[in-house]
Amino acid sequence: MKTPTGLQPLIDDGVIDAVMRPLKSGKEAAVYVVRAGDEIRCAKVYKDMAQRSFQQRVQYQEGRKVRGSREARAIGKASKYGRKQQETAWKNTEVEALYALRDAGVRVPEPYGYFHGVLVMELVVDADGHSAPRLGEVELSALQARGFHRFLIHQVQKMLCIGLIHGDLSEYNVLVAPDGPVLIDFPQVVSAAGNNAARTMLLRDVNNLTASLGAWAPELLDTWYGEEMWALFEAGELRPDSELTGVFVHDESSIDLDGVRHAINDAREEALIRQQGREAAEEMD
């Protein structure tokens, strides 16, 4: 295939040897399957701000650190330089998060480096060596769904222990490898301590996973791991090896339990709508 403009510098520098095929193109980036020596990897080329359709950047960026006071002032003023710095910071976010999550033991694709604004990382594959499917594309037994849910909740827990929340986690940001689920797509990662919407985003992430896997194991819909996790985090008691139960006693005077359960059901319906939309788009391609 013709080498995309964003990947030519990597070939020129010997980082990769060839671009084999497109893997996916989303609102934030385009991903390609590439060859580096004898290794097959993937390269994520981030789209410029003008090309992206992600509309809630401000909410996600709250609490993110900026490297210098000049950059912070420029971003705050939305100057041309500030917009450029904001764009650079946005593109660096996933790279930094990926390395931090890998070091914390979260199951993410192995990063191999960040070159000319392109993230090169592990290509997650299935048992036959093909690109691994998303969680929303596989059929599961109740036993498998429970196992996947337990594993993914633990990944969210380990993320929170280093102060990070995925922020957009769903069955479409989880790949299914032979050795279990792999979390992907972190450009919108949220600071748990610095973002006012952190709790809401954590609960949404957990509810999305619970709604998806609860379709195969309905008893999962009666668990409250997100609320339990956040309460421990706020109390400074959450650890990577903390034993979570999924049981949480709500203050019924200040919480609408039916509303929370409706939110989980809404997440399931939204997931189905996204799946139908994605399938319709694929049929048009």
Side-chain angles (χ1 to χ4, degrees):
M1 62 169 289
K2 181 180 178 181
T3 302
T5 303
L7 293 177
Q8 188 60 51
L10 277 67
I11 293 178
D12 295 341
D13 289 352
V15 175
I16 62 175
D17 296 304
V19 181
M20 301 177 68
R21 61 181 175 86
L23 181 59
K24 71 170 186 175
S25 181
K27 56 183 177 285
E28 300 286 318
V31 183
Y32 298 88
V33 177
V34 300
R35 180 173 58 81
D38 295 330
E39 297 288 331
I40 304 301
R41 299 174 176 174
C42 65
K44 189 168 189 175
V45 182
Y46 294 97
K47 295 181 178 179
D48 292 332
M49 188 177 293
Q51 296 176 282
R52 301 201 306 267
S53 58
F54 202 69
Q55 296 298 319
Q56 295 177 301
R57 286 189 293 271
V58 174
Q59 183 183 35
Y60 285 89
Q61 290 168 350
E62 180 184 352
R64 289 185 181 176
K65 294 181 180 179
V66 179
R67 296 187 185 281
S69 58
R70 182 191 176 202
E71 287 80 1
R73 289 195 301 271
I75 289 173
K77 294 178 179 178
S79 66
K80 182 177 180 180
Y81 174 76
R83 290 193 298 272
K84 182 178 179 181
Q85 291 301 312
Q86 187 177 39
E87 184 77 0
T88 299
W90 177 83
K91 290 180 179 179
N92 287 336
T93 295
E94 180 168 30
V95 181
E96 294 172 356
L98 203 56
Y99 278 100
L101 294 171
R102 181 203 61 181
D103 293 345
V106 179
R107 181 63 174 100
V108 297
E110 178 71 21
Y112 294 119
Y114 184 55
F115 312 91
H116 302 288
V118 177
L119 173 61
V120 180
M121 57 187 165
E122 171 191 3
L123 175 65
V124 182
V125 298
D126 63 15
D128 297 319
H130 301 132
S131 301
R134 293 180 176 90
L135 179 60
E137 298 171 332
V138 299
E139 293 188 4
L140 301 172
S141 67
L143 181 63
Q144 287 174 313
R146 287 191 288 269
F148 280 12
H149 188 262
R150 182 168 56 252
F151 177 83
L152 289 168
I153 292 297
H154 192 213
Q155 304 311 296
V156 174
Q157 176 182 347
K158 289 193 285 188
M159 286 187 65
L160 188 56
C161 284
I162 62 169
L164 296 178
I165 296 169
H166 189 287
D168 193 31
L169 190 57
S170 75
E171 64 272 33
Y172 301 110
N173 290 325
V174 177
L175 300 179
V176 180
D179 58 347
V182 181
L183 277 64
I184 62 170
D185 293 340
F186 298 94
Q188 68 295 309
V189 70
V190 170
S191 166
N195 192 303
N196 288 325
R199 178 181 179 275
T200 298
M201 292 185 184
L202 174 73
L203 298 187
R204 186 178 63 195
D205 283 354
V206 173
N207 286 348
N208 283 341
L209 294 175
T210 299
S212 176
L213 293 166
W216 308 101
E219 70 274 13
L220 295 176
L221 298 176
D222 291 321
T223 60
W224 304 91
Y225 286 101
E227 289 82 354
E228 179 185 13
M229 204 183 301
W230 185 259
L232 290 171
F233 175 74
E234 276 197 315
E237 298 174 359
L238 185 67
R239 303 287 182 270
D241 59 353
S242 297
E243 289 290 337
L244 301 182
T245 64
V247 176
F248 183 75
V249 179
H250 295 275
D251 179 359
E252 296 189 21
S253 64
S254 61
I255 188 169
D256 177 6
L257 293 181
D258 288 337
V260 173
R261 185 56 60 208
H262 285 318
I264 293 179
N265 290 334
D266 288 345
R268 179 192 291 180
E269 292 178 7
E270 184 179 344
L272 291 173
I273 292 171
R274 287 200 305 269
Q275 171 70 5
Q276 291 168 355
R278 199 180 65 81
E279 291 174 350
E282 290 176 351
E283 290 177 359
M284 293 176 64
D285 289 341

